[in-house]
Amino acid sequence: MTVPFLDMKAPYRELQAELDSAWRRVMESGWYILGAEVEAFEREFAEYVGVKYCVGVGNGLDALHLILRAYGIGAGDEVIVPANTYIASWLAVSYAGASPVPVEPLEATCNLDPSRLESAISSRTKAVMAVHLYGQPAEMDAINAVARQHGLKVIEDAAQAHGAGYRGRRAGGLGDAAGWSFYPAKNLGALGDAGAVTTNDPDLAEKVRVLRNYGSQVKYHNLHKGFNSRLDELQAALLRVKLKVLDEWNARRAQIAARYLDGLKDSGLTLPFVPQGMQPNWHLFVVRSPNRDALQAHLKRQGIETLIHYPVPPHLQPAYREMGLSEGAFPITERIHREALSLPMGPHLSREEADAVIAAIRAFV
């Protein structure tokens, strides 16, 4: 049996009639930028997340960058970021002109460790960026508490957290603002690049709306040195279709995750840990093994596709060489990156395919 990491064709097959209808609606409208479809998606996604405002933008990196810009965070400022994350979290800070200050994760959850925040805060710190890595919310109550004590903004990198729950609330409404990616492989994925900002802050929402559109509220009149980062009508229309099935598809992912957790217990692998009150969306199902590379090679021979999220942490990337951080600077992060392996996961993964993954792993260990 061949098991893909993620079936990218199945979502279209399941929703073909609705997606084709949305495509035709946009094509026939003759309006393709910042129109009725974007406005409708912004309303619907804000309601889904449980916040007052949503602003559609070009992609997830832009979403985080524009939040920082809208808060006036830039040159000379610092933003605390997880050491263990995808590099986009750091890049957003760099794009704004500020400096990322990495903090180690809790090893059990791989998310930002709130107990390490105090020692990372300086007089230049303006915000904390919490990443809901793999689709599991970070410890937001503790992070918010530290941030409030120091007057810091809390920004959620919710790029992997569509529909994830945190103590009765949804990710994306747990801080001052959240940046979203709708990259095609996400739980709520467009058919191209797309992103959004969610917030309860009306001033921030309005500033992002202006910044995404060349810094302009009225055409040819520019209030700020803005950017071109607009969610287009077609992607908004397609996202509206997929938003309606997001909870159902997340529930399917949860069933696969439960099957993995049961089938791989006592396997010798480190399995995902879910703290009480958390409801991951299971964007990724990441196991850890000191023999990760050998395990991945074994699974490949069995026709099972896996990925590594992520092989090299940001502080060891050439892009951040100027920070002077060498191997050993963040040992927890580095250990996670050496051991992490993402198993096949998605709403269209069958029980038989999941069982094949389990059997292949048990044969290896």
Side-chain angles (χ1 to χ4, degrees):
M1 178 183 291
T2 299
V3 182
F5 179 75
L6 176 66
D7 188 338
M8 294 297 292
K9 296 180 180 178
Y12 176 65
R13 288 195 296 266
E14 181 174 342
L15 300 174
Q16 182 173 354
E18 296 93 331
L19 291 170
D20 286 355
S21 176
W23 178 85
R24 284 193 298 271
R25 188 171 68 241
V26 174
M27 295 302 103
E28 292 169 358
S29 75
W31 194 282
Y32 307 117
I33 299 290
L34 294 184
E37 296 290 347
V38 170
E39 292 175 2
F41 175 73
E42 288 175 341
R43 288 193 304 271
E44 291 160 8
F45 192 62
E47 181 179 359
Y48 177 85
V49 172
V51 297
K52 295 179 180 178
Y53 308 102
C54 171
V55 183
V57 299
N59 55 69
L61 175 54
D62 284 357
L64 295 172
H65 172 218
L66 292 177
I67 291 170
L68 293 166
R69 290 277 186 176
Y71 277 135
I73 296 171
D77 296 331
E78 294 178 347
V79 177
I80 294 174
V81 294
N84 180 48
T85 185
Y86 182 53
I87 197 171
S89 310
W90 290 39
L91 289 175
V93 178
S94 299
Y95 285 1
S99 299
V101 176
V103 169
E104 285 270 55
L106 290 159
E107 189 155 8
T109 65
C110 300
N111 277 329
L112 187 65
D113 184 348
S115 71
R116 297 175 182 267
L117 288 178
E118 288 277 0
S119 61
I121 294 172
S122 76
S123 59
R124 297 168 57 194
T125 308
K126 295 296 188 292
V128 178
M129 185 178 291
V131 180
H132 306 313
L133 198 64
Y134 311 147
Q136 174 152 276
E139 291 285 353
M140 293 303 297
D141 287 346
I143 291 169
N144 281 323
V146 175
R148 281 194 298 269
Q149 290 174 6
H150 295 271
L152 308 178
K153 296 296 185 183
V154 175
I155 300 165
E156 297 172 74
D157 181 340
Q160 300 181 359
H162 314 79
Y166 178 86
R167 297 172 184 166
R169 295 184 292 158
R170 290 197 195 273
L174 306 173
D176 293 294
W180 297 87
S181 167
F182 303 121
Y183 182 76
K186 305 297 186 184
N187 291 41
L188 179 60
L191 275 72
D193 269 325
V197 171
T198 55
T199 184
N200 285 311
D201 182 341
D203 294 332
L204 176 78
E206 182 59 26
K207 186 71 174 289
V208 172
R209 288 187 195 280
V210 172
L211 287 174
R212 74 175 175 181
N213 190 36
Y214 298 102
S216 174
Q217 284 178 319
V218 179
K219 195 170 185 178
Y220 303 130
H221 295 268
N222 304 83
L223 300 172
H224 307 284
K225 297 181 181 71
F227 305 87
N228 178 11
S229 181
R230 301 173 296 202
L231 174 63
D232 69 64
E233 285 287 283
L234 179 57
Q235 297 304 337
L238 300 174
L239 285 167
R240 292 180 67 197
V241 172
K242 298 180 82 173
L243 180 59
K244 295 175 182 177
V245 298
L246 176 57
D247 285 344
E248 177 191 340
W249 285 9
N250 281 350
R252 295 185 200 172
R253 288 173 177 267
Q255 291 174 351
I256 295 297
R259 203 165 189 85
Y260 278 154
L261 289 169
D262 182 63
L264 295 174
K265 62 186 177 184
D266 304 321
S267 66
L269 300 180
T270 300
L271 302 179
F273 170 72
V274 181
Q276 187 174 3
M278 303 290 188
Q279 186 181 357
N281 69 0
W282 297 109
H283 172 61
L284 299 173
F285 191 96
V286 180
V287 299
R288 289 175 51 196
S289 169
N291 300 313
R292 187 267 310 279
D293 293 343
L295 173 58
Q296 184 178 41
H298 165 77
L299 293 175
K300 183 178 181 180
R301 289 193 294 272
Q302 304 303 310
I304 296 169
E305 185 181 11
T306 60
L307 293 178
I308 297 173
H309 296 87
Y310 301 96
V312 182
H315 73 276
L316 297 181
Q317 296 281 3
Y320 282 98
R321 186 181 291 114
E322 78 276 3
M323 295 179 71
L325 296 169
S326 58
E327 192 167 348
F330 296 97
I332 297 174
T333 292
E334 292 166 25
R335 185 160 57 250
I336 291 170
H337 284 245
R338 284 194 303 269
E339 297 180 353
L341 184 66
S342 299
L343 303 184
M345 171 55 75
H348 299 92
L349 189 74
S350 70
R351 294 176 61 179
E352 292 74 20
E353 288 172 324
D355 287 345
V357 175
I358 293 168
I361 290 174
R362 286 209 162 272
F364 174 81
V365 299

